[in-house]
Amino acid sequence: MKKLLLVGAVCITIFTSMIAAKGKETAALNSNSKAVNTTNKSVNTEAVINYWVDSLYAQMQLEEKGLSRSVFFEAYKGYEYLLSAGKLQKQGFLTICDYSQPSNKKRLYVIDVDKAKLLFNTYVSHGRNSGNDYATSFSNRNNSHKTSLGFMCTAETYNGDNGYSLRLDGLENGFNDNVRTRAIVMHGSNYVSGQRASKGTMMGRSYGCPAVPAKEVKSIINTIKGGSCFYSYYPDKTYTTASKILNADFVWPLTQTPQLASVRLPDSLAKIYTQSEALSLN
């Protein structure tokens, strides 16, 4: 009888161990499966983002307008981050000043993101102490008369010494958070024009303000005023490395399928969304 009980106890112990081992194996498989799914989700999300950005970039023919894909990607990533963080009172508009281009090029881009439409592509000045034909030096300091880099938000309008003007609020400490106190604003100017550009004359004569052609200033300001995204770009390693916006880890709103599915997309973007959604399911 004792032998039977001993054998039974041993069998129960072995059986219990087998169940425990099987449970660990199943848990491990589930864990690996989740890891794989997470990886796939990450890959698919990246694919969706790149497809969406490439589609917008191509649809607006930004390459032909002189704006590189990498600059557009940076600007659009910042826009999406600020959108996700609730920092933009006026959504759907993205303004890019590409200071890697010379002043005689149309290096200002005002984009309607929701409609995938380039609204304005014109000239814009840089600060007189930022450089000559090319802006190469930037600052956040008072009285530097230099342009500031990074992401900003458009604010209120006013009529001042330079006529109809638009205030800006810097969103990045150390790079542009002094633009309001420095009175760095968008305004119109006669020293920014196609006529000067055709003669090869530099248009970097402001105190750091992104001045635009006088004939276009009112239309541009009225389009972007009131809390839209404004990006001042230059391939500056210090800024690129330190910018919390450029280096932010966040979920792009455009990848949130349920949110997009409930929104009536413009016809110009509907096809892009449908195809990018298909990518996320692969």
Side-chain angles (χ1 to χ4, degrees), residues 8-78:
V10 171
C11 289
I12 290 173
T13 301
I14 293 173
F15 183 66
T16 302
S17 298
M18 290 175 65
I19 292 175
K22 185 66 176 177
K24 290 180 180 179
E25 181 181 350
T26 301
L29 288 173
N30 289 336
S31 177
N32 289 336
S33 178
K34 289 181 179 179
V36 171
N37 288 336
T38 300
T39 300
N40 286 338
K41 182 177 180 181
S42 175
V43 171
N44 289 334
T45 297
E46 184 178 352
V48 169
I49 291 171
N50 280 292
Y51 182 85
W52 185 272
V53 172
D54 287 342
S55 297
L56 291 177
Y57 182 72
Q59 186 166 326
M60 291 184 285
Q61 299 180 327
L62 294 177
E63 183 175 12
E64 290 84 343
K65 301 296 184 181
L67 186 68
S68 73
R69 195 269 187 189
S70 60
V71 175
F72 176 64
F73 182 89
E74 280 192 13
Y76 194 63
K77 178 182 179 180

Side-chain angles (χ1 to χ4, degrees), residues 82-95:
L82 295 172
L83 190 62
S84 71
K87 300 292 185 179
L88 301 178
Q89 291 181 308
K90 189 171 188 176
Q91 302 177 8
F93 295 94
L94 170 60
T95 302

Side-chain angles (χ1 to χ4, degrees), residues 96-167:
I96 305 170
C97 294
D98 181 6
Y99 288 115
S100 66
Q101 299 184 46
S103 66
N104 64 354
K105 297 294 183 182
K106 293 183 177 182
R107 55 185 181 173
L108 178 78
Y109 305 83
V110 178
I111 297 169
D112 184 328
V113 175
D114 291 340
K115 295 181 179 179
K117 186 176 180 180
L118 179 61
L119 302 177
F120 300 95
N121 177 209
T122 191
Y123 305 99
V124 62
S125 71
H126 54 257
R128 62 175 57 185
N129 288 340
S130 281
N132 295 318
D133 292 336
Y134 284 86
T136 57
S137 181
F138 303 87
S139 178
N140 189 41
R141 297 194 313 271
N142 290 326
N143 301 315
S144 66
H145 296 173
K146 293 183 179 182
T147 296
S148 293
L149 290 179
F151 288 93
M152 294 169 256
C153 193
T154 64
E156 76 278 11
T157 63
Y158 70 98
N159 284 288
D161 293 340
N162 291 303
Y164 193 50
S165 304
L166 173 68
R167 297 193 191 280

Side-chain angles (χ1 to χ4, degrees), residues 174-220:
F175 291 103
N176 58 36
D177 53 321
N178 287 330
V179 293
R180 180 173 280 266
T181 58
R182 290 179 61 202
I184 301 302
V185 302
M186 175 177 277
H187 61 79
S189 177
N190 291 324
Y191 61 71
V192 182
S193 67
Q195 184 177 8
R196 289 177 64 88
S198 65
K199 294 179 180 179
T201 307
M202 66 167 285
M203 287 178 272
R205 296 180 56 192
S206 74
Y207 280 6
C209 295
V212 297
K215 292 181 179 180
E216 299 177 82
V217 64
K218 188 172 183 179
S219 296
I220 293 174

